[in-house]
Amino acid sequence: MSAAKRSRYLTVFAALAVFTVIEVAVAFTAIAKPTQVVMLLALALIKASLVALYYMHLRSEGPLLRVIAAFPILLVIVLLLLPVFDLALAQ
């Protein structure tokens, strides 16, 4: 593995660690639950995107695979938003 690739992986790892610390901080803050859920879901989506793009090497794939990967991502976004709407309607 070249030094540039190793540096990129370490940078992504550091970003994932920072996002994890932010998630823990958000989980222990006294903010409204719907806001907290939205923030945690957004952070989870960012982290999942980083893992897919860099560790699963989707960043360097062709356009066909990107289109194929986009559909499940859209499905995940819809499924992640369902609890948000449930929380909003429960109040």
Side-chain angles (χ1 to χ4, degrees), residues 31-42:
I31 57 176
K33 282 290 182 192
T35 305
Q36 193 176 39
V37 169
V38 169
M39 291 173 69
L40 290 172
L41 291 175

Side-chain angles (χ1 to χ4, degrees), residues 8-65:
R8 182 181 306 150
Y9 285 131
L10 290 175
T11 302
V12 172
F13 177 76
L16 290 170
V18 167
F19 285 129
T20 301
V21 169
I22 293 170
E23 281 180 339
V24 171
V26 167
F28 287 108
T29 57
I31 57 176
K33 282 290 182 192
T35 305
Q36 193 176 39
V37 169
V38 169
M39 291 173 69
L40 290 172
L41 291 175
L43 288 167
L45 185 63
I46 291 168
K47 287 172 54 176
S49 298
L50 283 174
V51 169
L53 287 173
Y54 290 97
Y55 292 125
M56 296 174 66
H57 307 286
L58 290 178
R59 185 172 181 258
S60 60
E61 291 296 333
L64 179 61
L65 190 57

